[in-house]
């Protein structure tokens, strides 16, 4: 049974939460919000989108495990952003002693925030780096290409609401556009590319999914306008989530509005290894980052809450081993708390956000060790 540890009202509709993976900053979680202010309702023209980044700090009275321990959560600060936020992702490596957070905004900007240690307090602030990624469309997702392979000057891929993908290098002088191309369309018309994700094990390979229900692969060493594969048969609705496995370079998890969680061997994208029907559209998927729990996959299932899934050792079956249904609205953002005490726990701590009830919850649920290893 899942236990709620803390809840917060984010005021604006909440759509993503990310735990900081950088050593020394693992106590921090950031929640992003996206609020649409419709012109018909507020008398403005055109529609306006606002957003915030809300920085929370988690603590534990046991340095070794969160099992049975008291977990405290406090809100540290809130930053108003230039527009609504669709996605945030941390760089897994520190840059100049700072933890860096990328934000994909509704105004078409890719922005970089930094978490710094000042007077023994972790403080989130804008880094001053912004890329006008796509003036005519919204930035819907982003991903870094150095989750496993270290890179002092990593790249970020961004997916856009007009079906385009773009890739940006980070240099001392700021963002440099590396590539941009139209990746998805629907009968020639622009279509939302909801998600793009780099392979953890090859910084030149990425996958993308969109409202056209097509999953595509790309290799930055080749012609970026030509996909390496296209699967238009597996999903019946838009593809919203993609995450490669950090500890198994074969595996990638893909989630769709149609409720499928499909686990693939990315060397053969003809058909998935296994499919799990979650009972709700999949907005986010997160593999457990600890090698001892690498079979666990967090899923934000929109109309069917948050679920912890377990991939069998045979790769032929996925089972639900825990769930959290205390949110009252669409389950959107979810992440494991990346503090070592939580990662080692049999009941890992999770942060989750839901949309229309603008809620952020911290919870944990006991998960038995896999017995089919």
């Amino acid at each position: 049974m899942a236990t709620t540890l803390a809840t917060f009202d984010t005021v604006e509709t909440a759509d993503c939460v990310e735990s900081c993976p950088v050593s020394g900053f693992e106590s921090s979680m950031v929640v992003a919000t996206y609020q649409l202010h419709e012109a018909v309702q507020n008398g403005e023209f055109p529609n306006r989108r606002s957003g915030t980044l809300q920085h929370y700090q988690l603590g534990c009275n046991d340095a070794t495990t969160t099992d049975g321990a008291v977990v405290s959560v406090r809100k540290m600060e809130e930053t108003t952003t230039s527009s609504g936020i669709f996605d945030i992702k941390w760089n897994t490596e520190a840059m100049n002693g700072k933890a860096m957070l990328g934000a994909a905004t509704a105004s078409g900007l890719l922005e970089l925030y930094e978490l710094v240690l000042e007077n023994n307090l972790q403080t989130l602030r804008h880094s001053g780096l912004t890329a006008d990624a796509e003036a005519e469309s919204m930035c819907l997702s982003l991903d870094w290409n150095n989750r496993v392979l270290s890179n002092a000057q990593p790249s970020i891929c961004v997916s856009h609401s007009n079906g385009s993908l773009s890739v940006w290098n980070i240099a001392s002088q700021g963002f440099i556009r590396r590539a941009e191309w139209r990746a998805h369309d629907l009968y020639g018309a622009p279509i939302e590319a909801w998600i793009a994700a780099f392979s953890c094990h090859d910084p030149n390979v990425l996958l993308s999914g969109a409202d056209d229900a097509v999953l595509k692969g790309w290799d930055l060493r080749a012609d970026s306008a030509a996909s390496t594969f296209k699967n238009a048969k597996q999903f019946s609705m838009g593809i919203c989530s993609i995450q490669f496995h950090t500890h198994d370079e074969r595996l990638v998890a893909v989630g769709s509005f149609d409720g499928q969680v499909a686990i693939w061997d990315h060397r053969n994208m003809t058909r998935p290894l296994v499919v799990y029907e979650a009972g709700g559209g999949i907005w986010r998927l997160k593999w457990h980052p600890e090698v001892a729990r690498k079979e666990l996959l967090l899923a934000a299932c929109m109309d069917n809450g948050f679920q912890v899934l377990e991939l069998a050792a045979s790769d032929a079956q996925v089972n639900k081993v825990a769930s959290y249904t205390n949110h009252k609205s669409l389950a959107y953002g979810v992440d494991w708390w990346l503090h070592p005490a939580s990662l080692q726990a049999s009941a890992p701590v999770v942060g989750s956000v839901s949309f229309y009830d603008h809620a952020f919850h911290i919870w944990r649920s006991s998960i038995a060790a896999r017995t089919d290893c």
Side-chain angles (χ1 to χ4, degrees):
M1 177 180 293
T3 302
T4 302
L5 303 175
T7 64
F8 294 86
D9 184 350
T10 62
V11 182
E12 293 190 336
T13 48
D15 57 358
C16 42
V17 57
E18 293 286 324
S19 180
C20 186
V22 178
S23 178
F25 294 96
E26 301 101 327
S27 61
S28 286
M29 268 191 177
V30 173
V31 171
T33 66
Y34 164 92
Q35 187 71 49
L36 174 63
H37 306 271
E38 297 189 81
V40 173
Q41 296 178 354
N42 58 29
E44 298 177 359
F45 184 83
N47 292 342
R48 181 173 62 87
R49 296 170 175 85
S50 64
T52 62
L53 290 175
Q54 302 181 17
H55 175 208
Y56 296 84
Q57 195 156 39
L58 285 69
C60 178
N61 66 347
D62 188 331
T64 59
T65 180
T66 55
D67 289 337
V70 175
V71 175
S72 61
V73 189
R74 59 174 176 157
K75 185 176 181 179
M76 303 299 293
E77 57 196 327
E78 180 174 320
T79 301
T80 300
T81 55
S82 63
S83 184
I85 304 292
F86 277 107
D87 194 19
I88 53 174
K89 295 279 172 50
W90 292 100
N91 182 359
T92 55
E93 300 179 282
M95 299 180 72
N96 299 319
K98 306 167 186 175
M100 309 303 291
L101 180 70
T105 75
S107 60
L109 298 178
L110 170 62
E111 301 189 47
L112 208 56
Y113 290 79
E114 56 188 22
L115 187 62
V116 299
L117 188 62
E118 293 181 335
N119 300 320
N120 293 321
L121 289 177
Q122 295 180 24
T123 302
L124 185 69
R125 66 192 185 194
H126 201 291
S127 71
L129 293 180
T130 298
D132 190 355
E134 183 58 69
E136 301 302 319
S137 70
M138 298 181 286
C139 295
L140 300 183
S141 78
L142 73 125
D143 196 23
W144 300 75
N145 73 342
N146 63 337
R147 286 177 60 215
V148 170
L149 302 176
S150 179
N151 188 341
Q153 293 187 323
S155 297
I156 297 176
C157 66
V158 179
S159 68
H160 303 271
S161 61
N162 65 357
S164 295
L165 302 181
S166 60
V167 178
W168 300 80
N169 292 339
I170 301 177
S172 57
Q173 65 269 39
F175 286 110
I176 299 174
R177 191 193 306 265
R178 178 178 175 182
E180 183 173 2
W181 67 99
R182 180 63 61 85
H184 295 266
D185 64 72
L186 191 62
Y187 305 113
I191 193 75
E192 287 86 352
W194 288 114
I195 191 70
F198 275 112
S199 165
C200 299
H201 307 280
D202 188 333
N204 293 297
V205 171
L206 60 150
L207 302 187
S208 64
D211 247 2
D212 57 4
V214 178
L215 180 64
K216 292 184 177 182
W218 311 92
D219 192 324
L220 297 177
R221 293 162 296 197
D223 180 3
S224 60
S227 59
T228 56
F229 77 86
K230 180 174 73 172
N231 188 308
K233 297 180 179 180
Q234 181 63 38
F235 302 101
S236 61
M237 299 177 71
I239 296 166
C240 310
S241 186
I242 301 170
Q243 193 178 60
F244 282 85
H245 202 302
T246 55
H247 297 296
D248 191 331
E249 61 184 78
R250 300 173 304 130
L251 299 181
V252 57
V254 180
S256 167
F257 276 130
D258 66 11
Q260 291 187 65
V261 177
I263 311 298
W264 306 72
D265 182 331
H266 81 89
R267 298 169 300 182
N268 178 11
M269 299 301 292
T270 304
R271 62 176 61 87
L273 296 169
V274 61
V275 174
Y276 172 81
E277 297 289 347
I282 308 301
W283 188 251
R284 283 295 176 265
L285 294 168
K286 298 285 182 67
W287 291 106
H288 196 290
E290 190 71 17
V291 66
R293 309 304 297 274
K294 67 178 184 178
E295 72 279 4
L296 298 180
L297 180 66
L298 263 179
C301 306
M302 298 184 75
D303 290 315
N304 202 26
F306 298 93
Q307 301 180 30
V308 181
L309 310 178
E310 181 185 77
L311 176 65
S314 64
D315 296 337
Q317 187 173 354
V318 172
N319 297 308
K320 180 173 68 175
V321 293
S323 61
Y324 185 76
T325 57
N326 289 357
H327 285 271
K328 305 303 181 185
S329 181
L330 295 176
Y332 260 34
V334 69
D335 203 5
W336 309 97
W337 183 28
L338 300 182
H339 192 283
S342 177
L343 294 181
Q344 302 294 333
S346 61
V349 176
V350 174
S352 56
V353 296
S354 48
F355 199 66
Y356 293 113
D357 62 345
H358 36 84
F360 171 44
H361 289 199
I362 299 291
W363 50 277
R364 62 184 166 199
S365 182
S366 183
I367 303 167
R370 190 168 72 178
T371 59
D372 64 343
C373 298

